[in-house]
Structure formats: C-alpha cells, structure tokens
Amino acid sequence: MTLKIRKYQEEDCLSTIQLFRETVLYVNIKDYSEEQVQAWVGYELDPVTWNNSLKNNYSVVAIKDNIIVGFGDKSGYLDRLFVHKDYQGQNIATKIMINLESYVNTSKFTSHVSITAKPLFENQGYHVVKDNLVKVRGVTMKNFIMEKDNSYHN
C-alpha cells in the first residue's frame, strides 16, 4: 500500500499517543536508558491536552496499511515527529518532515532532536546548533537543538 499523509483529526488522538509511547519504548531505547525512556513516556498523557496541542499546531498523520504509521507537528518549530516501531526505515519520517516544512514560509527550521533522530535530521540538511540537556520528570536526557536553512528546501 502507498503512504498517505493527511491533516491530523481528533479521532487520531489515541492512535498517536500509542504510537508515540511505543516508538519511544521500542526504538528510542537503543539510545536512552530505561530510566530516561520511562521518564519520557511513563506518565499518564491527558488525551484532551494531547489532542488540543496537535489541533492547535499544523499536524499530520501518515497512513499505510490502513493504520497510522507516523505523525508530526509544527508550531513555531518542528515539534513531534514519530514513526511506528514496525515501519522504521521506510522514509516515512522524511515524507512527514517535507510536508511539515512545506507548510510554513520561514528562513530557517528549528527542532529539538533526540539522539535517535539526529541522523535523519542531518540527512535532511539540519545541523546541530548545540547539544542540549533537558530534565524530563526529574531525569536528565540529552538531545540536540538543530536548524536547517530554508534554502535547502526548494
């Protein structure tokens, strides 16, 4: 089946929460400790807050095989970008990223990027502005603040 990217809808809420949790637990675990992963996803996400956040941003979902296999959103910067654990390595994240970047007219794109996603962002023309340490529910985690000049996206 071909990949379809469409705008996020309210009924996508629970599927995107589950996809986020499973991606972190099964994919990001290769770059983060169990303690860090549990801090990242081991809390009760409020579906209303999650849904409102995605609805208030420009948010898309990627659908393949009749399931949501990825999603991403853009507010002032590229915020969330997750791909289902069973659909990694199929250029889904790249296609979501291109969709999100094409939505805004800006001179530069910025994102806070996990260790896991850093190679993907580098392959799309982003560069590290600085290494970043962030506390998530009391646990320190490393990520990167990355930017991309919009001239790459033409």
Side-chain angles (χ1 to χ4, degrees), residues 7-73:
K7 198 163 192 276
Y8 170 85
Q9 300 168 359
E10 192 165 333
E11 57 268 18
D12 301 330
C13 181
L14 295 180
S15 295
T16 56
I17 289 173
Q18 181 179 348
L19 189 150
F20 159 71
R21 286 181 183 271
E22 288 181 0
T23 301
V24 173
L25 289 170
Y26 293 99
V27 178
N28 295 94
I29 191 69
K30 70 181 184 184
D31 296 306
Y32 292 93
S33 71
E34 181 70 29
E35 179 186 33
Q36 291 169 322
V37 164
Q38 287 303 320
W40 198 350
V41 298
Y43 64 99
E44 192 59 40
L45 276 171
D46 175 33
V48 173
T49 303
W50 180 271
N51 182 56
N52 287 338
S53 173
L54 286 168
K55 282 190 339 188
N56 291 333
N57 295 339
Y58 175 72
S59 306
V60 297
V61 295
I63 299 172
K64 188 173 184 179
D65 303 329
N66 294 317
I67 65 167
I68 294 176
V69 296
F71 73 97
D73 70 311

Side-chain angles (χ1 to χ4, degrees), residues 32 35-37 39-40 132-136 139-143:
Y32 292 93
E35 179 186 33
Q36 291 169 322
V37 164
W40 198 350
N132 193 39
L133 293 178
V134 60
K135 275 206 172 199
V136 179
V139 178
T140 301
M141 299 174 62
K142 180 179 181 176
N143 66 14

Side-chain angles (χ1 to χ4, degrees), residues 139-152:
V139 178
T140 301
M141 299 174 62
K142 180 179 181 176
N143 66 14
F144 303 93
I145 297 174
M146 298 184 76
E147 291 182 347
K148 174 181 174 178
D149 185 311
N150 195 19
S151 64
Y152 285 105

